[in-house]
Amino acid sequence: MSITDLVALCTTSSAPLELQYSTTSFTPLDLHSQMTGGEAIHAVGFVNSVLRKVFDVIARDRTMNSKVKRGLGVLKREMSMVACEIESNEEKNQGATHESKIVLLRDLACEIEDFIDLTWVPGRGSGFVLSAFGMDPRTGILQSIDHFKDSIQAVRNWQPDAGGSHGGDDGAATWSCSSATPTQSYSQEAALRSICKHRDELGRLLTEAGGQELKVISIVGCRGVGKTTLARAVYDHCRASGEFNCVAWVVATECRDPEDLLTKVLKEAHSTAEPTTRAAEGSGISDFEQTSLQSFLRDKRYFVVIDDVDNPEVWHHIKHEFPEEGHSSRIIVTTSVHSVAAQCSWGSYVYTMQCLSNDESEEVFWETVGQENRSPVLQDASEGIIKKCGGLPLALISVANYLRQRGRSESRVAGGLTKEHCKRAARALGDKILKGQDAEFLKINTALLQCYNNLPDYVHRSCLLYASVFSRGRPINSNALLRRWMTEELAVANDTVTDEEGAKSCLEVLIERCIIEPVKINNARVARCRVHSIMLEFIIHKAISKNFVALVDKDELLSRKGVGVRRLLVQDSSKEGVEDADIDLSIMRSLTISGSPLLDLQACKLLRVLDLEGCKGFKNSDVLRAICKQRFLKYLSLRETDVVLLPSEIQCLEHLETLDIRDTRVEVLPIEVIRLPLLAHLFGRFRLAHGIKQEISQKSRLQTLAGVVVTEPDKSFENIILHAGKLRKVKICSNSSRNKWMKMNSCCNSPLLRLKERFSGSKALQVLSIDSSDFCTDFVSFLGAPCAITSIKLRGQLKSLPDTPTLRELLGLNKLLLISTGLRIEDLSALQNLSCLEYLKLAEDRDGFWGGRFVVKSGGFPSLRRLCFEAPKLPEVRFEEGSMKSLTILDLLCPYPDIPEPCLSMYFVSFYQVHPIANGSSRLGVAGVQYLDNLNEVILHHSTREPKVQAWKEEAIRHKNKPSVKRQQQPIIHAA
């Protein structure tokens, strides 16, 4: 904020700063929501950080007037008191009043922080400067401080208005509806038909040959996908078939503890056991109570379903009570947590339920609504509903039942279901699911609310809500999500983890619980992800109800009325649509624009996050100048925009931490960017400006430099590489123009030669990526120990690999990716001497790998956990006994020719061996998989045909570890 702006702000009216705030309007937010533990603690933590900023201002500004200093001191003390009161009342949890005070306190703290940031420019004594111009801002500052004092008292004394906490569209979501009961029109038949494929596959798992031991099968998937319905169908069949001596069905979440669960299983099993068996065990109540579950089941073939297990400790406490020997007994566990499924079962006995296809979704929807209503106009109007439901059976059936009821109730007025009914239902679907006031939506409301409330703490819930600020219908870049969480201080560090580790852990938890699903996995990490469609609708309206975010979607404003909001997503909207929404941009902290024109950023003064990915209109230099005035900006994404040049004014972004200019036309990075004092992460494909000296590099806080193009020897690149002490991740590229001078320079003069100095020591690089055939060759030529780099990615032609002694000395290397190297496949086998390597990807983008076989000998790759082949054609692979003892995942991402289908004939290529076929030639395959003792997952190319996938699954059953076999996630193609 410039001195001119501050002067104007302080002289506009008699109470200039007060006009910037709206705390005097105390609108109860989300009054009926269940505020879970931790939200008050998080709010108080934020308040304390703001109070520290107030204290820093008092200590820093020695020219501050005594009245202003006393006023800030009082403000700090009273804010601390109200925070302490709320924190002390957290255990009592005084209902809606307590919850509203927390929301109001957090909002007030944001306003005080904005006031501090706008009034005291960091590092400058604003009072002294303004006095030099003959202007005294104290009057306005004191008035604002008095305003905040009144606001603090209003928060402390706030009580809900009589009757003000209920009713109206502005009322908060109601999480329980005691009068509502599940609708009787719930289409169980439609749900069962929609999962008939799953029922058949699960039936095959139950009957697979596997000896007489107990088999535990886990059904895992997101809530509402039909796990319980599937398990119930199988349970009813098994109970009616008489194949089992006793059966039992128990819902884990309805049990007080593991002991209660076991008691209910015993009671159910006893009640369904054959009369002769019950008599032998003792039918009296006292005898039954003294019988343990283990002794009761010991001589029986039993079938048990444990529904809705959400804690891995449950299975740990109860598994010993189920006899494993003999009788071919079966247990089915349903869960929405992957770790629970993995702990209960292994490999092929973990059954992952997928959502319905679009055709299956339409079938379920119209069967429930009623085929008599299926007209071309209604079918067209229902497309939005089916898309939002995302193939989730419970969501489809809920909204279909709702429409069926509306059609019946309005049959006399409108003649039945109309196009407008469908349109309104599509628009209001998320809100109706959130409130759960209609009986038809009670089940889906309960399922999603349980999913949200069962997250470990408020941090995880806030991070999930934050996903609502990303564009709908487009996968989320996982790294961008993590960096934005950190920028907005949602995933914060503690004594044991850093911000980055905390953010990664949070994402893992959300994926683990089937809330966020990966849609693209690159190099053993989730590159892109998405929130399931119906869950996204839920969290969007949840975030809006909590004043967490506002949306302008297709010119329609979704926001709390009359309440300021600090995060905004503008999607598929016109500039006029945003202007008509009448949003106060002056208090906005986070702004994301997708598929919409750029807004007038002059009105924004407090932005911390600005994401303009895919926006056009940067040819107007005023746009970039307006961005460069965002003094508090920490995160700026210009990815896929039409930016050509970054102006020198970018040096004003003194708080910028992340700059993303990937897929833009920026070719040269201004030296002003490198000079930014807090810049940590820089992404793009650019040349460095000349003149970056050693002292400039030493001041840099860069941690990530991804996409620097080296076209000629230049000290700027060398200085950054050698002297940016915090630099840990580097991606280096080159272009064809480099070949002109490379011919005149030997490898000894390579610009990468000095890079060797960053191989080891306390400032060693951690991640290095090179996209250049010339540079790859240079790098390999001087690669050697000691080397502390943990991850290396090389894309480009190589002449050879380092010799075996050198490979054995690279003890720090955990991750290696070799792409389009042109090396023979048998030469790549030498990599098995990397004793500490945990991930290896070998990829070719031409016809495939040259040479004969990739053979891993006994003792080879002792630490490797994941091996990936990606090429048009799968090379011939053989694992010898004693090799790859740690391997858990094998990726065979090779679409052509088809991966050989296992068969049991004389001439075949099996999952275990490669044999010559009848004509004497050989077919590509994988040999020796039976020696991979820890293998639990095989991933095939997404184009692999279903018969072959099933054949591999059947063959995998014979592996002692029962690895699961599945296709890779189908790549999602989306508009830019």
Side-chain angles (χ1 to χ4, degrees), residues 38 113 194 217 662 822 909 936:
E113 184 178 38
S194 71
I217 299 173
R662 283 174 287 189
V909 183
N936 59 34

Side-chain angles (χ1 to χ4, degrees), residues 695-744:
E695 56 267 28
I696 297 175
S697 301
Q698 288 174 335
K699 293 179 181 179
S700 173
R701 292 196 181 184
L702 269 179
Q703 300 174 29
T704 305
L705 179 62
V708 58
V709 177
V710 182
T711 58
E712 59 185 40
D714 175 55
K715 287 292 183 180
S716 292
F717 170 74
E718 183 177 309
N719 283 329
I720 284 288
I721 291 296
L722 295 184
H723 304 297
K726 293 184 178 295
L727 194 61
R728 293 295 180 265
K729 301 178 182 179
V730 177
K731 179 179 180 181
I732 302 170
C733 313
S734 72
N735 57 28
S736 57
S737 64
R738 179 177 182 267
N739 295 331
K740 297 179 182 179
W741 61 267
M742 273 297 295
K743 294 178 181 178
M744 299 182 291

Side-chain angles (χ1 to χ4, degrees), residues 229-339:
T229 304
L230 173 61
R232 175 62 70 177
V234 175
Y235 174 82
D236 290 343
H237 171 77
C238 292
R239 181 171 185 173
S241 67
E243 298 176 10
F244 295 89
N245 300 123
C246 60
V247 298
W249 177 288
V250 176
V251 181
T253 51
E254 295 178 358
C255 300
R256 297 186 304 274
D257 49 44
E259 288 71 23
D260 184 38
L261 189 152
L262 291 173
T263 300
K264 290 180 178 179
V265 171
L266 176 58
K267 185 176 181 180
E268 281 270 319
H270 186 270
S271 66
T272 60
E274 298 173 1
T276 55
T277 306
R278 287 204 302 268
E281 295 288 341
S283 57
I285 296 178
S286 59
D287 293 336
F288 168 69
E289 290 176 346
Q290 295 175 2
T291 303
S292 69
L293 179 62
Q294 186 180 54
S295 60
F296 181 80
L297 297 177
R298 184 174 293 117
D299 60 346
K300 299 179 182 64
R301 188 183 186 211
Y302 56 89
F303 180 81
V304 176
V305 176
I306 307 176
D307 189 31
D308 200 17
V309 180
D310 58 5
N311 188 342
E313 291 299 312
V314 171
W315 180 251
H316 176 74
H317 283 94
I318 69 173
K319 62 181 180 180
H320 301 294
E321 289 295 314
F322 295 98
E324 296 184 5
E325 66 283 352
H327 310 300
S328 298
S329 296
R330 301 289 183 261
I331 296 177
I332 289 180
V333 174
T334 73
T335 180
S336 57
V337 183
H338 284 288
S339 61

